[in-house]
Amino acid sequence: MLLPTKKLLLVLLGSVVYGSVAHGQFVNNGGLVFVKNKTTVAINGSLINKAGILANEGRIFVGDSLKNYGNYRHLNGVGIDTIVMTSSSPTGILMAAADTVGALHIQGGGQKTLSGNLSVNKSLILQNGLVNTSAGILTVQKNGQIYGGDNTAYVDGPMTYLGQGVVRRFPVGIGGQYHPVILKTVAGTNDNFAITFEAKSGGTPVLGESVADLSNIYWERSISNPSNFSGYDSLVLSYAGATPAGATSPEQYIVAQSTSQDGVYQGLGSGFVSGTLASGFTRNFFDPIQTHYRVGRNNGVKLKLRVVLQGAYAAGAMDVSLKNGNYLNNFQANNAATVYTMPNPLKPIAKMLPSKTGAYLAPTYAVDVIQISARATPEGPDLETITAWLLADGSVVDYLSGGLMDYVTFPNLTNGSYHFVVRHRNHLDIMTDDLVSVSTTPPSVSYDLTDIANVYGSGALLVNSSPAVYAMIAGDNYKADGMDETNGNDLFRVNTDQDALSVGYLDTNVKFDNDVAVNASDYTLSSDQNDNLYFSTVP
């Protein structure tokens, strides 16, 4: 609230201000003006520091523009220097030099347009009114706090936060709508870095895996001194006014990321959601490391499945040598083209997103990657195909979240009943015998493909007699022949790699027997399968 004042113009060449005073317009033409601690200066008009020094330890209410061509001196004394912008009409904050204030309080309702660089040391208080930063840089220091923020009070344009912190809130918005971003556990090697976010709209983004629709609103991120920045654990987006089309429940909202405004947006796992269909928050599970984010719709149905690979199964569980040897962890796809053009979609590198540490971490008990396709009839065609992690106990878990969900999601399927085909890079395809009923609600019971009664055409082999466990048939490591059988082509490739003493993530390593080398055990299994000439029963 402004103190009572008469309309007058006060021009100062030098003074010290104590107590509470009021002016119509305040102009400093060259001296030192010192606003002492516990002093309130209320200005109905503009505060203009043409030259000299404006040193502040108290509170200055500005009813119109703040124009600083001289030196605004932020004091670290007993008081927190505060600038309160109160105009109900559009006005400006001009900083000819990079200046720091202790607290910036926005009220009155009018838009305040920042020109130049302004840093807030202690508090940014958004009570009523927008701060337009299209022509300036608004920065909150490492230990600064932000209060307020809604559809009438936000930063319209880029906003920057410095250094590490437990929580970083960016109160940004656009077009009369508040679209905040919240980061949790921001880490770095030191505090010499800055994160900037801006809310924008428009573009023609491309839908990636696990994304059915995207919001028109997007958030653009940049980082200064990125070599000192390590990452953040969580990115929380508000979807109020930024909802993708077609959602029927808030649980469908996810965070999606891309390298550009109109790039391919990949879903970051099924996010935690709080709120209603129209307003609330969603966050990531997978590492948020790209520069552009949108709210996505994961409208898919959920499936729980159990399946076993013959080549990996022994003594009641499957081998996890690939995981333990970091062959699943260290696939990197930092080149955007690599992510989408790898020739073999059954290998994890084909759809891998790089994490903030440079290597995606597979689940602890990951055996390998599989693909699952949905069909309306046994003959097909495939309606949608997703990638999943296969774990040692046969459970199939969400790929993009690193297995945090014990089910998989088909983002473009609707509630209904489907046959599901499971594929692996060196085993024969297998399919559910029944039509499996699925919905957007995560199921509590798995469809068990280790039970031969559930396998279409009985296309599985017994690998354990008590209890009975049936598995996908090993040996089909040469998919290029299109034969869907275990034959001489598969055996020839295993023999070649065995002679070469090949080691690594290889299709010819069909026997996952506590190593990643292609050796006699792989040859023996492939030879047996070739002799039996097994066929996939999937049409």
Side-chain angles (χ1 to χ4, degrees):
M1 167 144 226
L2 291 181
L3 298 177
T5 182
K6 295 180 180 180
K7 295 285 185 179
L8 59 91
L9 170 63
L10 182 65
V11 180
L12 295 177
L13 297 178
S15 67
V16 179
V17 183
Y18 301 89
S20 297
V21 297
H23 304 289
Q25 182 167 300
F26 191 104
V27 179
N28 180 25
N29 273 330
L32 167 64
V33 177
F34 184 13
V35 180
K36 292 288 290 181
N37 179 38
K38 298 183 180 180
T39 296
T40 298
V41 176
I43 303 165
N44 281 344
S46 297
L47 168 57
I48 305 173
N49 187 35
K50 287 188 174 181
I53 298 173
L54 174 58
N56 184 17
E57 227 178 41
R59 292 194 304 168
I60 303 176
F61 287 75
V62 182
D64 199 341
S65 297
L66 168 61
K67 299 179 180 179
N68 180 44
Y69 302 99
N71 184 355
Y72 178 89
R73 187 159 294 175
H74 156 71
L75 301 177
N76 291 313
V78 293
I80 297 175
D81 63 300
T82 301
I83 298 291
V84 185
M85 302 297 296
T86 65
S87 175
S88 60
S89 301
T91 187
I93 303 173
L94 187 151
M95 294 293 178
D99 292 295
T100 299
V101 299
L104 178 64
H105 189 165
I106 303 298
Q107 58 179 232
Q111 176 172 284
K112 286 75 176 173
T113 299
L114 175 64
S115 300
N117 299 341
L118 179 61
S119 182
V120 178
N121 187 49
K122 295 292 185 181
S123 303
L124 173 62
I125 306 168
L126 299 170
Q127 181 179 345
N128 189 7
L130 310 184
V131 182
N132 185 295
T133 60
S134 59
I137 300 175
L138 177 62
T139 301
V140 177
Q141 298 284 340
K142 169 181 166 56
N143 295 318
Q145 299 295 317
I146 296 175
Y147 303 93
D150 55 34
N151 288 344
T152 67
Y154 59 81
V155 178
D156 186 1
M159 188 214 133
T160 300
Y161 229 129
L162 297 183
Q164 305 174 82
V166 176
V167 177
R168 292 283 184 258
R169 179 165 68 95
F170 296 78
V172 294
I174 187 174
Q177 183 71 51
Y178 181 48
H179 299 296
V181 178
I182 301 170
L183 306 181
K184 295 186 178 181
T185 316
V186 178
T189 56
N190 56 56
D191 289 316
N192 186 25
F193 64 89
I195 304 175
T196 300
F197 270 95
E198 180 178 3
K200 296 184 174 183
S201 65
T204 54
V206 179
L207 300 179
E209 186 171 345
S210 298
V211 182
D213 281 296
L214 290 164
S215 62
N216 186 54
I217 299 295
Y218 67 94
W219 292 262
E220 184 175 87
R221 189 204 74 185
S222 62
I223 297 176
S224 64
N225 297 325
S227 61
N228 298 324
F229 167 73
S230 300
Y232 37 82
D233 290 340
S234 293
L235 180 142
V236 181
L237 299 179
S238 168
Y239 56 79
T243 54
T248 57
S249 69
E251 287 77 14
Q252 295 171 0
Y253 296 132
I254 58 173
V255 175
Q257 69 176 2
S258 178
T259 57
S260 64
Q261 168 190 324
D262 297 330
V264 177
Y265 281 78
Q266 295 284 4
L268 299 185
S270 296
F272 169 81
V273 176
S274 64
T276 65
L277 183 62
S279 177
F281 295 88
T282 182
R283 70 173 173 89
N284 66 290
F285 276 121
F286 186 73
D287 284 339
I289 51 82
Q290 302 294 0
T291 56
H292 291 72
Y293 301 92
R294 294 180 188 258
V295 177
R297 175 173 64 85
N298 183 338
N299 192 34
V301 300
K302 276 70 174 178
L303 171 70
K304 289 187 75 169
L305 197 65
R306 182 167 183 254
V307 67
V308 165
L309 301 176
Q310 178 194 4
Y313 187 86
M318 284 183 285
D319 188 272
V320 292
S321 294
L322 290 174
K323 162 64 179 175
N324 292 341
N326 286 329
Y327 289 96
L328 299 180
N329 286 349
N330 290 334
F331 286 110
Q332 298 183 29
N334 293 314
N335 182 322
T338 306
V339 179
Y340 308 111
T341 60
M342 289 298 296
N344 188 347
L346 292 175
K347 294 185 179 180
I349 193 173
K351 294 183 180 178
M352 192 68 67
L353 292 173
S355 77
K356 65 189 177 190
T357 57
Y360 183 86
L361 295 180
T364 302
Y365 296 104
V367 175
D368 207 346
V369 167
I370 60 174
Q371 279 195 328
I372 309 172
S373 299
R375 295 179 173 184
T377 65
E379 294 76 21
D382 293 345
L383 301 176
E384 186 175 13
T385 300
I386 58 103
T387 306
W389 292 109
L390 177 62
L391 303 188
D393 64 354
S395 57
V396 177
V397 298
D398 179 73
Y399 181 74
L400 287 176
S401 71
L404 290 178
M405 278 71 68
D406 64 349
Y407 54 85
V408 294
T409 300
F410 289 80
N412 296 303
L413 291 185
T414 57
N415 292 358
S417 296
Y418 304 90
H419 290 279
F420 291 96
V421 180
V422 181
R423 298 182 174 94
H424 181 262
R425 60 192 173 88
N426 59 25
H427 283 63
L428 292 176
D429 300 349
I430 195 173
M431 185 169 67
T432 62
D433 186 61
D434 302 312
L435 284 167
V436 181
S437 178
V438 289
S439 71
T440 55
T441 301
S444 57
V445 178
S446 296
Y447 189 90
D448 192 357
L449 284 171
T450 69
D451 182 346
I452 194 63
N454 293 332
V455 178
Y456 184 86
S458 300
L461 286 181
L462 183 69
V463 292
N464 196 78
S465 57
S466 183
V469 175
Y470 285 81
M472 293 177 66
I473 301 171
D476 184 22
N477 70 79
Y478 186 57
K479 303 290 185 180
D481 62 8
M483 300 295 289
D484 293 324
E485 63 184 26
T486 57
N487 56 33
N489 291 330
D490 305 302
L491 181 60
F492 174 78
R493 295 178 78 238
V494 172
N495 185 52
T496 300
D497 281 352
Q498 180 191 8
D499 290 345
L501 304 178
S502 299
V503 176
Y505 190 83
L506 301 170
D507 296 338
T508 49
N509 181 24
V510 295
K511 182 73 174 172
F512 296 41
D513 51 355
N514 298 313
D515 62 43
V516 291
V518 181
N519 54 31
S521 63
D522 301 295
Y523 182 84
T524 298
L525 177 59
S526 294
S527 180
D528 290 343
Q529 307 298 73
N530 177 54
D531 291 343
N532 285 286
L533 194 60
Y534 292 110
F535 291 84
S536 171
T537 58
V538 178

